[in-house]
């Protein structure tokens, strides 16, 4: 196996049919395209090509290759603060009497629950909840989430200030 060149990144994407794709390498140009799309997901291929000093066909081909390997997806992301969600709470959930996955699937259907992860460790599930007020957060935690069948105990925290949130790795 050859050593990776500087700036080259390896990954294994999933093909559109869900099967594992062949090993895929991104280079500096791919990373520059991705970085530009992080800044402006609506930039035209023509403008992106001009900014990068390449022709539009090169950008189009590379984007198609990244998308087909499921290494890149351009999506709209909500700005939670701009939408009025001033409170973010990471919550550990202990489950009893029901499969953690089943409880997690039910939690995932709640609009204000923005992430659900099955975990190993102290908590069976780790979730994130958003709300527009502390009263709404209290209602969600005590009268909605805590009442779901299988939820034994909640371990909520309240994010006072989000210092880093890296949306480039989401959604999964």
């Amino acid at each position: 196996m050859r050593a990776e060149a500087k700036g080259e990144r390896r990954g294994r994407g999933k093909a559109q049919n869900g099967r594992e794709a062949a090993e895929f390498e991104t280079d500096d140009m791919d990373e520059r395209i991705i970085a530009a799309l992080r800044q402006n997901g609506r930039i035209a291929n023509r403008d992106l090509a001009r900014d990068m000093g390449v022709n539009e066909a090169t950008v189009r081909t590379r984007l198609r290759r990244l998308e087909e390997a499921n290494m890149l997806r351009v999506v709209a992301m909500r700005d939670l603060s701009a939408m009025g969600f001033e409170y973010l709470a990471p919550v550990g959930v202990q489950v009893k009497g029901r499969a953690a996955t089943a409880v997690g699937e039910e939690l995932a259907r709640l609009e204000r629950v923005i992430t659900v992860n099955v975990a190993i460790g102290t908590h069976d599930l780790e979730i994130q909840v958003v709300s527009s007020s502390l009263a709404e957060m209290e209602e969600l935690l005590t009268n909605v989430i805590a009442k779901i069948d299988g939820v034994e105990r909640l371990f909520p925290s309240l994010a006072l200030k989000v210092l880093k949130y890296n949306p480039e790795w989401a959604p999964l």
Side-chain angles (χ1 to χ4, degrees):
M1 181 177 229
R2 69 177 184 80
E4 293 181 33
K6 184 177 181 183
E8 198 173 80
R9 292 157 185 86
R10 291 180 183 257
R12 189 173 292 278
K14 294 263 186 200
Q16 293 294 340
N17 62 8
R19 285 190 265 170
E20 189 115 347
E23 192 166 281
F24 184 92
E25 295 177 2
T26 59
D27 62 16
D28 286 333
M29 184 177 295
D30 293 327
E31 294 300 325
R32 287 175 42 216
I33 290 170
I34 293 167
L37 288 170
R38 282 188 194 125
Q39 295 301 310
N40 178 4
R42 297 177 65 171
I43 190 170
N45 288 354
R46 175 186 63 251
D47 297 332
L48 187 53
R50 183 193 64 232
D51 293 348
M52 295 184 64
V54 297
N55 68 45
E56 187 177 349
T58 299
V59 169
R60 191 173 40 254
T61 299
R62 285 177 175 260
L63 282 171
R64 185 173 37 251
R65 184 181 59 138
L66 289 164
E67 289 171 342
E68 287 174 355
N70 282 335
M71 301 275 297
L72 171 79
R73 186 173 2 157
V74 179
V75 297
M77 296 196 59
R78 296 178 176 184
D79 182 328
L80 295 174
S81 183
M83 294 178 65
F85 297 119
E86 297 299 323
Y87 298 93
L88 172 69
V91 182
V93 181
Q94 281 185 345
V95 175
K96 186 173 183 182
R98 194 170 169 209
T101 301
V103 174
E105 288 170 350
E106 190 168 339
L107 287 167
R109 289 193 288 273
L110 300 175
E111 183 181 359
R112 299 290 192 257
V113 175
I114 61 170
T115 65
V116 178
N117 301 300
V118 176
I120 188 166
T122 311
H123 312 122
D124 301 303
L125 300 169
E126 293 176 351
I127 65 174
Q128 286 189 24
V129 181
V130 295
S131 69
S132 56
S133 68
L134 287 176
E136 181 184 22
M137 184 65 73
E138 178 186 7
E139 172 69 17
L140 284 166
L141 293 174
T142 61
N143 294 323
V144 178
I145 294 171
K147 306 260 181 189
I148 290 177
D149 182 37
V151 171
E152 181 177 73
R153 192 165 175 202
L154 299 177
F155 298 88
S157 297
L158 185 61
L160 299 176
K161 187 175 187 179
V162 177
L163 299 176
K164 178 182 180 182
Y165 174 71
N166 189 350
E168 66 193 51
W169 292 103
L172 296 175

